Every structure is written in structure tokens, then in C-alpha cells.
Amino acid sequence: MPHTSSRFLAEGPRVGIRHITYEDGPEFTARARESKELHQPWLFPPDSANGFAAFAQRLIEDPTKVGFLVCEKDGGAIAGYININNIVEGAFLSGALGYGAFAHAAGRGLMREGLGLVVRYAFGGMRLHRLEINVQPANAASIGLARSCGFRLEGYSPDMLYIDGAWRDHERWAITAEMIRKAK
């Protein structure tokens, strides 16, 4: 079902962001199957009904996670997804981002617009202070997205995440609310 702009948490010229729902399963999994060549070896989004149900449940029910879909305003198609994981409150007010574009939307700037909306939403309505993105060093597209949205390279973490059968090194990119305010 196409989603209208009134259901968006935030919107830009071409996309809006909204929370993921269980009803998104059929479109999300179809797009994940269509995008396997684009995603691998970096990402493995759920491409089955059961896999999506477990994925969505974590993002909907776990208070340390929030799942967003980046949707095209023209027609409502899901262009990609952005998750904020490991949300820590208190003095840290931080979260770790994970994201993926779907093949039909890749290279069109839709995820850049969507990530910008999520960052502003996180620093506004969610009252977070810092967001991190951990990216495998050879994933040029993901690093390019982080850089284009104002994230700064802060470090390198060897053997950080277990992905596709091995512990993978990651670059650590971050942005803070102050960085956004200074850029205005």
C-alpha cells in the first residue's frame, strides 16, 4: 500500500521517512531479493517472511532500536532502510546507524536525502547527541554516503563485526548534534 506524506515523520523534496511496520514485509523482502547483488558481501537484509518478521519485531519492540524506511514521495515505494541500533540514553545519548538502499533506488541520491532526514529526526525528536556508522573499509558506496551527510572519520576497529562468516574490520564514522548546528 502506498504511504501518503501525512504518515511521514519527516520529508524532503523526494523522500519521506517513516517507521517500519510488520505490513511492510512483502515489499521489503521483494526489494531485498532484487538487491542481493548490490548488498553482498556487505549487507544481508531479510528476504523471507519469517526473516522480516524477526527483523521488524526487534526494531519495533526493542527500545534500544528504531527502524526507518526511506520512501519515495512519488508513489510511496521503499527506497531503502535506516536503523538506529544500540541506543544509549543518559550522558551518552548515542546510537549506531545501519542502512541499505534497494537496487531500484541506488545511485539516485534518495538515501542521502533519507539519511539527512533521519539524522535531523534523531537529533530533534529523539533528542540524541551522537550517531555512529561502522563501515567495512572497502564499501565505498556506504562510506561515500556517510561522508556526504557530514559524518567524520573517527577511527578504525579491527575485527569489529561478524559478517558473512568472518570478523570484519570497520571504519568508524560519527556525527554530533553540534556538528549539524555548526553547519547551518
Side-chain angles (χ1 to χ4, degrees), residues 6-173:
S6 64
R7 296 179 84 179
F8 291 141
L9 300 166
E11 58 185 286
R14 297 178 299 154
V15 302
I17 58 168
R18 63 177 178 79
H19 290 297
I20 195 167
T21 69
Y22 292 109
E23 292 76 25
D24 293 311
E27 182 182 359
F28 188 101
T29 56
R31 300 242 182 245
R33 287 189 298 274
E34 295 166 0
S35 305
K36 279 188 189 251
E37 188 174 315
L38 173 68
H39 290 156
Q40 293 177 1
W42 319 114
L43 300 173
F44 297 86
D47 62 1
S48 69
N50 288 341
F52 179 82
F55 175 76
Q57 182 177 15
R58 286 188 302 273
L59 294 170
I60 293 168
E61 296 182 18
D62 184 339
T64 68
K65 299 178 183 349
V66 178
F68 299 94
L69 295 178
V70 176
C71 299
E72 296 182 62
K73 287 173 62 175
D74 183 18
I78 299 171
Y81 61 96
I82 301 170
N83 305 325
I84 304 178
N85 302 299
N86 307 323
I87 297 171
V88 178
E89 295 180 343
F92 198 32
L93 292 175
S94 180
L97 291 172
Y99 51 76
F102 290 123
H104 76 282
R108 296 173 44 204
L110 302 177
M111 287 300 290
R112 179 175 186 219
E113 188 176 320
L115 182 56
L117 293 171
V118 168
V119 167
R120 286 190 295 284
Y121 183 81
F123 292 155
M126 292 179 68
R127 300 185 189 275
L128 294 178
H129 170 259
R130 176 185 174 82
L131 294 169
E132 288 189 12
I133 299 171
N134 294 290
V135 183
Q136 292 178 59
N139 188 342
S142 190
I143 289 171
L145 179 57
R147 183 180 287 124
S148 72
C149 287
F151 285 73
R152 66 180 172 218
L153 178 62
E154 290 191 338
Y156 185 81
S157 301
D159 301 328
M160 183 181 182
L161 294 173
Y162 193 78
I163 299 173
D164 197 24
W167 288 100
R168 308 289 179 179
D169 299 345
H170 281 70
E171 291 182 0
R172 192 173 54 261
W173 293 77

